[in-house]
Amino acid sequence: MPKISPEAVAIAERVEAFVRESVAPYEHDSRCGAHGPSDDLAIELRDLAKQRGLLVPHIREDGSHFSHAETALILRKSGLSPLGPIACHVMAPDEGNMYLLGKVGDVMIKERFLAPMIAGEARSAFFMTEPAEDGGAGSDPSLMQTTCKMDGNHWVINGRKAFITGAEGAKVGIVMAKSEEPGSEGGACMFLVDLPDPAIRIERVLDTIDSSMPGGHAVIAIENLRVPADQMLGEAGEGFKYAQIRLAPARLTHCMRWLGVAERAQEIATDYACRRQAFGKQLIDHEGVGFMLAQNKIDLKACGLMIDWCAEVLDTGDLGTTESSMAKTFVAETLFQVADRCVQTMGGTGVTGDTIVEQLFREIRAFRIYDGPTEVHKWSLAKKIKRDWRESQT
């Protein structure tokens, strides 16, 4: 088991109490819509977290981060409500974007773009994925169609993006584009931009199965966006490398948050099964029900262990690409089964909005696709297995 400091344990306990007592009552607020909680609700929740000293609780006041293993405990507690990560400002894409800017950003970028995010004054969006109908980048980032080209001391960006989480209402954007500069060989670049910008137009916000992220998921048109050269993140052509710095930890923090979500679903289903009577006894005493909840308990523990293992790898300084793919695949698939059993345990009530179990099921279903579909991660792992076999033959 990873070593967790008493400081991190205390923070996690405070986050859990805050989410259960102060955040969960907002779950049926009318400002929770099909495209996520409204920005005014998100601001209200973040203000509550500020009052408790729990905004970005995995980052200390001096700017240092808790370890990945300690962050796992803290973010798991934030996930006990789908609104918890929003209140604590550790929701995707902000959490991953803050991590990336902290690792790669220069002083100017950290002061201008990162500081307002950490303070909870700005949401962000990560513009990477592109529409399938354009033949653009999805799980295969090498297909990127969005381009950038130098014009004086500015870069000019054109293209379309899709499934851009939180673009509507965001104040900070990280835009990925393929360089058209001579000798660049199409390397990807990342740029920091202020939002909104008239050159970045929201075509539509998609209707998706999930509804927990402010701003929803948008299709975007970028038309002659001019970005000063000093707002490039890192070096030209290194965008894909920077994406990996962000993606591996972000996959794992997704797992952390959704584990908390699934634990909450299990709590609600357990309470229902212990209170509901059928055929002369409590539901939980029927093996068909009790065994589902028992399997959930086993699976939740297994997911926690998988997350802790991957977090320990990341804490060594390793990129953890393989380990995060394994963890994301296992946790996403397993938690979906957990959520499904919770719905099944509760019967008709489980598919209604009378509890949040129905929403939690939808959110976890989307997780099997977000941050890389299960099949893509397995394909990547299979390629590594083949490479390792070849190396063993030499």
Side-chain angles (χ1 to χ4, degrees):
M1 293 291 291
K3 184 177 180 180
I4 307 297
S5 67
E7 180 188 11
V9 171
I11 289 288
E13 290 174 349
R14 289 174 56 205
V15 168
E16 178 173 3
F18 168 62
V19 171
R20 290 187 184 278
E21 296 166 9
S22 301
V23 177
Y26 283 86
E27 288 169 349
H28 293 288
D29 192 290
S30 61
R31 291 171 290 176
C32 294
H35 296 151
S38 66
D39 275 313
D40 67 314
L41 175 56
I43 291 169
E44 186 174 331
L45 291 170
R46 288 200 298 269
D47 285 344
L48 291 176
K50 285 181 184 179
Q51 294 168 19
R52 297 281 196 93
L54 294 173
L55 199 69
V56 288
H58 64 304
I59 302 177
R60 298 181 181 90
E61 289 186 9
D62 64 3
S64 64
H65 284 241
F66 283 102
S67 69
H68 289 283
E70 291 170 326
T71 297
L73 177 62
I74 295 167
L75 265 61
R76 179 174 173 177
K77 299 303 184 183
S78 77
L80 289 168
S81 167
L83 295 174
I86 295 167
C88 294
H89 203 35
V90 294
M91 187 59 144
D94 291 312
E95 187 276 328
N97 290 343
M98 288 187 283
Y99 181 84
L100 175 62
L101 298 190
K103 289 288 186 181
V104 183
D106 59 22
V107 173
M108 184 278 287
I109 283 176
K110 287 179 179 178
E111 290 180 352
R112 180 173 167 186
F113 296 102
L114 178 58
M117 293 168 61
I118 292 177
E121 298 167 359
R123 283 201 295 104
S124 62
F126 190 73
F127 296 75
M128 181 172 72
T129 304
E130 297 173 335
E133 62 266 24
D134 293 352
S139 297
D140 183 355
S142 69
L143 297 175
M144 186 164 293
Q145 303 295 308
T146 303
T147 61
C148 59
K149 189 171 184 178
M150 284 293 293
D151 180 22
N153 64 346
H154 284 68
W155 288 83
V156 180
I157 304 173
N158 285 280
R160 293 177 75 226
K161 299 291 185 179
F163 301 104
I164 307 307
T165 303
E168 187 171 71
K171 293 183 179 179
V172 175
I174 303 175
V175 180
M176 282 193 72
K178 179 176 63 176
S179 175
E180 290 189 324
E181 288 299 294
S184 67
E185 299 180 351
C189 303
M190 283 189 184
F191 301 91
L192 272 295
V193 299
D194 293 300
L195 297 175
D197 188 296
I200 300 177
R201 176 170 53 86
I202 296 177
E203 294 183 355
R204 63 190 179 107
V205 178
L206 299 163
D207 294 321
T208 59
I209 193 172
D210 62 329
S211 58
S212 66
M213 300 181 185
H217 312 285
V219 179
I220 305 290
I222 303 175
E223 299 168 351
N224 295 318
L225 171 66
R226 296 182 65 83
V227 183
D230 64 357
Q231 288 178 211
M232 177 182 285
L233 183 63
E235 301 296 328
E238 298 294 321
F240 291 135
K241 181 178 78 174
Y242 300 150
Q244 287 304 312
I245 291 174
R246 178 190 186 278
L247 289 175
R251 289 172 191 149
L252 193 63
T253 53
H254 263 310
C255 294
M256 299 169 191
R257 291 184 293 263
W258 295 128
L259 178 56
V261 164
E263 288 175 332
R264 176 78 181 288
Q266 172 80 346
E267 289 177 7
I268 296 170
T270 298
D271 183 71
Y272 182 90
C274 289
R275 293 178 183 275
R276 180 74 163 136
Q277 295 282 330
F279 305 105
K281 54 186 176 181
Q282 292 170 293
L283 276 183
I284 196 168
D285 290 329
H286 294 277
E287 286 187 358
V289 175
F291 281 16
M292 285 195 290
L293 295 174
Q295 186 62 51
N296 279 0
K297 189 173 182 64
I298 295 167
D299 288 345
L300 290 168
K301 184 64 175 179
C303 287
L305 292 171
M306 180 68 88
I307 290 168
D308 288 344
W309 163 71
C310 184
E312 285 189 280
V313 172
L314 292 175
D315 280 330
T316 68
D318 193 292
L319 281 177
T321 303
T322 297
E323 291 82 1
S324 66
S325 280
M326 293 170 64
K328 196 276 176 180
T329 299
F330 178 82
V331 173
E333 293 297 324
T334 303
L335 293 186
F336 177 67
Q337 294 298 322
V338 169
D340 185 64
R341 293 188 198 106
C342 289
V343 171
Q344 193 72 14
T345 293
M346 297 177 69
T349 300
V351 297
T352 72
D354 287 358
T355 75
I356 63 165
V357 168
E358 176 268 340
Q359 181 194 349
L360 303 184
F361 172 82
R362 290 187 286 106
E363 303 293 344
I364 293 174
R365 176 60 184 87
F367 177 40
R368 294 175 62 202
I369 295 173
Y370 297 162
D371 264 3
T374 292
E375 293 72 22
V376 171
H377 285 294
K378 287 184 176 180
W379 173 71
S380 176
L381 290 167
K383 289 200 302 180
K384 185 180 188 308
I385 291 169
K386 185 177 180 180
R387 287 197 306 273
D388 291 346
W389 175 80
R390 281 178 174 168
E391 292 174 4
S392 72
Q393 305 304 303
T394 59

